[in-house]
Amino acid sequence: MGEPKPSSSSQSSSTSSPPPPPPTPSSLIKPSGKKKGKPKVIRVFRSVFRSFPIITPACKLPSLPGGLLPDHNRAGSGTRITGTLFGYRKGRVSLSIQENPKTLPTLVVDLAMQTNVLQREMSVGMVRIALECEKRPEKDKTKVLDEPVWTMFCNGKKTGYGIKREATEEDLHVMEVLKAVSMGAGVLPGKSETEGQDGEMAYMRAYFDRVIGSKDSETLYMLSPDGNNGPELSIFFVRI
């Protein structure tokens, strides 16, 4: 008689691969959801932004679409939050909003602009990003930051559509790595094996003043160190 054949159960156990390891748990905490009072503008040293390669003096900017104008008298008029712009150099830049660097993102938006294009725009001077959508019926209580899609303008030029999405595992990894960074800019190692020479992920993190104008408008004003001619950025969320 020939040798006995192994059972089907033993065959499957010898060829099956081990289960993948569980994902690394994040130490980021849930945002409190509580409204804070008006923040105080904290003085920080200019050295925070010295590593940022695109700093240039600011220049004047025409009005935004829809009649929006830059407001230069709003410092400290809203709630201070943490904002992070990040993305691969030739990929779309994303915006993450957190209550502080140690909390989970409350909003992630894919902007209609490549990271290297945004860097180039900021090297010229002030950058004004407007994210616009249509007004909802009066009885609709959807908050403006809860809209799923916005038409995006950068310095008055339409660039496409901004799309709100859930934070991915890669997003959470970036926020985890930057947990100890309150303000600054640089690059993080990325997927160089798939992204090639542009595999590094560029990021810029800063405090923003979040100013609620009405149920149809909110604005994020980037706060720079006092006396520092660093990049100037404002992001408008509006329903028109």
Side-chain angles (χ1 to χ4, degrees), residues 131-146:
L131 296 166
E132 299 183 354
C133 63
E134 293 183 358
K135 280 190 175 182
R136 291 178 172 269
E138 287 298 323
K139 295 182 180 180
D140 194 325
K141 303 300 182 181
T142 302
K143 296 180 180 179
V144 67
L145 294 188
D146 288 337

Side-chain angles (χ1 to χ4, degrees), residues 64 85 97 125 131 181-182 205 212 228 231 234:
L64 289 170
L85 293 156
I97 296 176
L131 296 166
V181 179
S182 57
R205 168 168 284 184
I212 300 176
N228 179 24
S234 297

Side-chain angles (χ1 to χ4, degrees), residues 3 13-14 27 41 88 142:
E3 296 181 359
S13 62
S14 62
S27 65
V41 179
Y88 295 104
T142 302

